[in-house]
Amino acid sequence: MFRKLVAIEPIGLIPSAEKTLHSFANEVIIYNDIPQNDDEVAVRIGDADAVLLSYTSRINRYALDKCPNIRYIGMCCSLYSPESANVDIRYANELGITVTGIRDYGDEGVVEYVISELVRCLHGFGQEPWDKIPREITGLKAGIVGLGKLGGMIAEALNFFGAEITYFARSEKEEAQAKGFRFLPLDELLSQNEVICCCLNKNTVLLHEVEFEKLGNRKILFNVGLSPAWDEPPFSGWLEGNNLCFCDTVGALGGTTLINHPHVRCMQVSTGRTSQAFDRLSEKVLANLTDFF
């Protein structure tokens, strides 16, 4: 049992799960706002031996050095790799601190977002149809950049509606081939598809100037990652063509600079944060705590 557990910001647990946290520590403190800087993070952690946080704050070397009692850090958000995490995992491990995270808790809502926005765009619901006349997903050439869990789910959903799916990933995947999805090198995928959906880990950038040249004009680009999949200068230039970019969050777009661009559709909301996602998140956070003991 922990002596003191602190959630340094809102972590998205459902009420019953938040109540269960008290079974893991003698003292539990949950903050309902986001710390403004690293000093405030360190102050909130204080002498706690267990810390929880979401994706809106970070725990870096500075905070870790100021809080020597930490034994456990639970990321109540996606953890794909140490490089993309908002916790300095490698340094924490050097200090003997266990860091856990979760995955695949909000994917279903993101898949629904992609299908919803694409249908609205093609059919012209509330806007002019992409091809001037209403059109189905059937026969659409769609490329998936990053065929992880979320990318795979989006591919399957588009395939269900009749799209032709190709994908780019670190390597070819047998299970994707079995589903009829075809692997392509990135430049070929960009040039051959009308719709591109980037499903990459945070801080992974694959679209540079050359890639946007390959992508060309009259294309639809979705980014469902937590950060931009592109360098901003060539992306801005690409937007000046007859193209559209869809992002759910400002983080996925890369900031507010282009949020009002006529070829940008940004919902400014995390489409994965549904009631069901909070249920799944809560279960996985509590499971990580249980596994630690």
Side-chain angles (χ1 to χ4, degrees):
M1 193 172 192
F2 294 119
R3 182 179 50 79
K4 182 177 180 181
L5 183 152
V6 175
I8 64 171
E9 63 179 341
I11 53 176
L13 299 192
I14 60 175
S16 60
E18 195 168 288
K19 184 177 180 180
T20 303
L21 288 181
H22 291 266
S23 66
F24 291 99
N26 293 321
E27 180 183 3
V28 175
I29 299 174
I30 301 174
Y31 287 90
N32 294 316
D33 60 349
I34 299 170
Q36 297 302 304
N37 51 49
D38 294 335
D39 282 313
E40 189 171 356
V41 167
V43 169
R44 290 189 179 190
I45 296 172
D47 62 350
D49 50 348
V51 184
L52 301 179
L53 78 162
S54 188
Y55 61 92
T56 46
S57 295
R58 64 177 185 173
I59 298 178
N60 57 18
R61 180 182 291 252
Y62 176 83
L64 291 171
D65 284 339
K66 285 184 170 292
C67 304
N69 292 329
I70 301 175
R71 291 194 291 137
Y72 176 86
I73 298 175
M75 294 172 55
C76 305
C77 55
S78 297
L79 172 55
Y80 295 104
S81 66
E83 293 79 14
S84 64
N86 54 327
V87 173
D88 190 335
I89 294 177
R90 290 195 172 92
Y91 186 58
N93 291 161
E94 289 177 14
L95 298 175
I97 300 169
T98 297
V99 182
T100 64
I102 60 176
R103 295 184 67 168
D104 308 330
Y105 63 95
D107 294 342
E108 288 80 359
V110 179
V111 176
E112 292 181 358
Y113 156 72
V114 171
I115 297 299
S116 172
E117 289 300 282
L118 187 55
V119 168
R120 286 172 52 81
C121 177
L122 295 179
H123 280 261
F125 298 151
Q127 58 197 289
E128 184 179 4
W130 175 243
D131 277 342
K132 307 302 180 184
I133 60 173
R135 174 183 165 195
E136 302 168 2
I137 292 176
T138 305
L140 179 75
K141 291 186 176 181
I144 310 296
V145 180
L147 202 71
K149 177 68 181 299
L150 177 56
M153 291 174 66
I154 292 173
E156 291 180 6
L158 290 170
N159 184 61
F160 174 81
F161 285 103
E164 299 177 15
I165 305 298
T166 54
Y167 72 95
F168 171 78
R170 293 189 183 96
S171 60
E172 295 189 45
K173 301 178 182 292
E174 291 184 7
E175 62 272 23
Q177 183 179 4
K179 295 173 183 177
F181 305 158
R182 187 163 53 94
F183 176 88
L184 284 177
L186 182 57
D187 58 349
E188 293 182 29
L189 179 117
L190 296 172
S191 63
Q192 293 183 20
N193 287 285
E194 183 178 6
V195 173
I196 302 293
C197 189
C198 293
C199 314
L200 300 172
N201 291 346
K202 187 177 181 181
N203 300 325
T204 301
V205 175
L206 291 184
L207 304 185
H208 310 286
E209 184 174 358
V210 171
E211 283 71 31
F212 278 105
E213 291 175 358
K214 295 290 185 181
L215 180 58
N217 201 30
R218 191 64 184 164
K219 298 292 183 73
I220 298 171
L221 175 63
F222 279 86
N223 182 38
V224 297
L226 297 176
S227 61
W230 51 72
D231 292 329
E232 185 171 327
F235 171 66
S236 298
W238 177 82
L239 283 176
E240 297 309 311
N242 190 11
N243 303 301
L244 285 178
C245 177
F246 289 85
C247 300
D248 60 344
T249 66
V250 174
L253 182 60
T256 59
T257 303
L258 295 169
I259 202 163
N260 294 317
H261 193 286
H263 294 168
V264 168
R265 307 285 187 270
C266 183
M267 301 286 289
Q268 302 186 58
V269 62
S270 176
T271 54
R273 292 175 69 81
T274 63
S275 61
Q276 294 94 332
F278 288 124
D279 289 338
R280 290 187 287 266
L281 180 150
S282 298
E283 291 173 2
K284 294 185 177 189
V285 169
L286 294 180
N288 282 343
L289 283 164
T290 300
D291 289 345
F292 178 76
F293 287 106

